[in-house]
Amino acid sequence: QQIFNAPFVSPANYNLTGQTANGAACDITAYFTSDPACSQTVNYTAPVCLCNIDNFVANIGACLSNNTFEVTGTVTYSSPPAGGTMTVIVDNSGTQYTQTFNPPFTSPDNFTITGIPSNGAAITITVVFSSDPGCTSVINSTAPPSCACGVDIGTFNSTITGSSTNNYVLCYGDQIDINSNLDYTAPAEQFAPPGPPYDPGVSWLIYSCPPTVALIPNLVTDVPDDPCFLGLVSDFNLSDLNDLGMINAFPPGTFTNNTIYYVPITMYSMSSGTYSYVNTTMPCYELGTPFAVQYLPQFNAVSVQDCNTGTATITVSGGLPAINGSNFTASNLLPVTANFTSTTTPNNGTFVINNLTGGQMWSFTVNDGNGCPYTVNGGPFPPTQNPAFSYPSAALCVTGATMNPVITGVPGGTFTSSPAGLTLNAATGQINPVTSTVGTYNVTYTTPGPCPDDMTVVVDIITAPVANAGPDA
């Protein structure tokens, strides 16, 4: 209550605090002690204040000697629910570490959660009331990195020897070399108990896709648990020639677009192939950044020349289009009198060169989209065969002897004639005038073989002349 003393001045302003915000039915009454009948009562409903996290602070501790850390902090809240619990939860890689508070709740509350693994993973710190799940707050943070071992994979330098113009994309025949700069920090030798022979260094692992498992040492997964892990391929320095030997060493379909992922890893013992040996529970190693190396297949070109059409058809395959579905592009065609039907084609597609003539050499360059230098050469383009021939006479009397042709071109061809009526040997070209019909004929000789040509001459079959010399002298 609030009391006002005489003399009274109207209006009088009052302020009553500390009421319970519980949604109950309430009333407030004003009256005079000297005249109790002079009073008035007003009814109202108390408001309800929702639970609220006013302030939530979390402090991330450093990595401790047992390779764990702690989270401490304070939760400040108002209007908490009457029952249930308040829980602070630290989630590290799916494992939860908690501290629970029971009613009656008194704000603020301090919390300390210990034994969380120091693994450098993303963590969340959450506070929540079980009776009012909406009364919650979340802080995102990161666990400190492991202090169980002080390894460092170090740095590397890489070179490509060959024709490739793009990093880590190897033309067929190119060689890649990735060398350690020997600035790595090896895992410490262990003595209690000792493990395999201490022979530290750096090795190379091979994956079919970027690694996603055990990127940071943890107690749940190991490096070989990664579904893309294929094994160890080299020690210290990685060197490989693109002869597709590495690709073909695995079943078809192992690698997407012929890309191999090489990943360096620190080793406790190179001689025994042990990447981690510790006298504690937490593994000790570091994986480096993957090197994605793409191996392009060998380029092939097979040509077929057609002297009848003056074209050369070249089927091309390999290179970048063989693995990603892109196109080859042709340019720099020689001779200048020739031309392409199209300058682009996919893997196993064809380039067609037109306007080639006998004896010509031809060439062009092919770009596979990666810049690998491919040159296709051909020729000499086959000429058509010489069909030259003739007969000793262009006219034969129907009473005369047979006549054979003189072939000065390519022999072995076929003879034909038109119109009908000429007795002609198709194989030898011999004409028999006695059995032929008087008339004029076109005799055509066609050469044999893949590039035939033909020639036509005109032959006349004429009647025998009649000489009238008059009466005998």
Side-chain angles (χ1 to χ4, degrees):
Q1 64 182 3
Q2 184 175 356
I3 297 174
F4 299 87
N5 295 310
F8 304 114
V9 178
S10 180
N13 297 316
Y14 64 89
N15 183 26
L16 302 177
T17 62
Q19 313 305 304
T20 302
N22 58 4
C26 302
D27 62 70
I28 183 168
T29 300
Y31 66 95
F32 289 90
T33 57
S34 296
D35 186 1
C38 185
S39 66
Q40 185 172 351
T41 297
V42 177
N43 297 309
Y44 69 93
T45 300
V48 175
C49 292
L50 299 178
C51 173
N52 184 69
I53 306 297
D54 301 324
N55 193 30
F56 184 30
V57 177
N59 304 304
I60 310 302
C63 180
L64 304 175
S65 59
N66 62 353
N67 205 44
T68 66
F69 71 101
E70 67 178 20
V71 176
T72 62
T74 303
V75 184
T76 304
Y77 50 88
S78 57
S79 302
T85 59
M86 182 185 75
T87 305
V88 180
I89 306 167
V90 178
D91 189 298
N92 182 322
S93 303
T95 301
Q96 295 184 342
Y97 306 83
T98 64
Q99 182 176 352
T100 300
F101 298 85
N102 295 307
F105 303 113
T106 303
S107 178
D109 282 319
N110 298 317
F111 64 89
T112 300
I113 301 176
T114 62
I116 310 166
S118 292
N119 56 5
I123 62 173
T124 59
I125 306 99
T126 304
V127 59
V128 61
F129 285 90
S130 62
S131 295
D132 186 358
C135 190
T136 185
S137 183
V138 178
I139 296 174
N140 295 309
S141 188
T142 304
S146 171
C147 57
C149 64
V151 296
D152 188 344
I153 193 64
T155 60
F156 301 86
N157 64 84
S158 63
T159 57
I160 295 178
T161 304
S163 305
S164 180
T165 58
N166 294 315
N167 251 354
Y168 311 122
V169 180
L170 303 183
C171 301
Y172 189 83
D174 286 359
Q175 178 170 310
I176 187 167
D177 294 280
I178 308 177
N179 300 323
S180 169
N181 291 321
L182 302 180
D183 54 355
Y184 65 94
T185 300
E189 187 174 5
Q190 305 293 300
F191 301 98
Y198 185 59
D199 179 23
V202 172
S203 287
W204 289 91
L205 307 179
I206 184 172
Y207 289 77
S208 61
C209 67
T212 56
V213 173
L215 300 181
I216 298 174
N218 64 83
L219 298 176
V220 179
T221 57
D222 295 324
V223 170
D225 293 333
D226 195 298
C228 293
F229 175 77
L230 298 174
L232 185 147
V233 68
S234 179
D235 292 329
F236 272 112
N237 297 324
L238 175 70
S239 179
D240 192 38
L241 174 70
N242 181 14
D243 58 0
L244 297 184
M246 187 66 72
I247 295 292
N248 294 332
F250 296 89
T254 299
F255 303 102
T256 302
N257 289 341
N258 277 24
T259 300
I260 297 177
Y261 294 85
Y262 295 106
V263 182
I265 186 173
T266 56
M267 299 289 288
Y268 182 88
S269 176
M270 302 281 282
S271 57
S272 68
T274 302
Y275 66 89
S276 174
Y277 178 79
V278 294
N279 293 146
T280 60
T281 57
M282 184 66 67
C284 179
Y285 63 88
E286 183 177 34
L287 289 172
T289 301
F291 289 82
V293 181
Q294 188 174 44
Y295 291 75
L296 301 188
Q298 186 174 13
F299 175 79
N300 291 295
V302 178
S303 62
V304 176
Q305 302 180 115
D306 190 339
C307 51
N308 294 303
T309 60
T311 61
T313 301
I314 302 92
T315 302
V316 290
S317 61
L320 189 60
I323 56 179
N324 73 351
S326 59
N327 287 332
F328 292 105
T329 302
S331 59
N332 303 320
L333 176 62
L334 293 174
V336 295
T337 54
N339 63 277
F340 286 114
T341 300
S342 174
T343 56
T344 60
T345 194
N347 184 57
N348 291 320
T350 59
F351 291 112
V352 178
I353 305 175
N354 299 309
N355 298 329
L356 293 173
T357 58
Q360 284 184 324
M361 304 298 294
W362 51 267
S363 67
F364 61 94
T365 58
V366 177
N367 185 346
D368 69 347
N370 181 59
C372 300
Y374 306 130
T375 300
V376 182
N377 298 294
F381 194 76
T384 55
Q385 296 170 318
N386 182 7
F389 82 105
S390 64
Y391 284 100
S393 174
L396 289 83
C397 182
V398 291
T399 59
T402 58
M403 184 170 64
N404 293 313
V406 177
I407 301 175
T408 56
V410 176
T414 303
F415 291 86
T416 58
S417 65
S418 65
L422 182 68
T423 302
L424 176 70
N425 187 310
T428 65
Q430 184 185 70
I431 296 175
N432 187 347
V434 175
T435 56
S436 299
T437 302
V438 173
T440 298
Y441 299 93
N442 294 317
V443 179
T444 300
Y445 174 64
T446 303
T447 59
C451 298
D453 198 359
D454 59 69
M455 177 179 176
T456 300
V457 299
V458 177
V459 175
D460 289 319
I461 303 297
I462 60 177
T463 58
V466 177
N468 185 358
D472 294 341

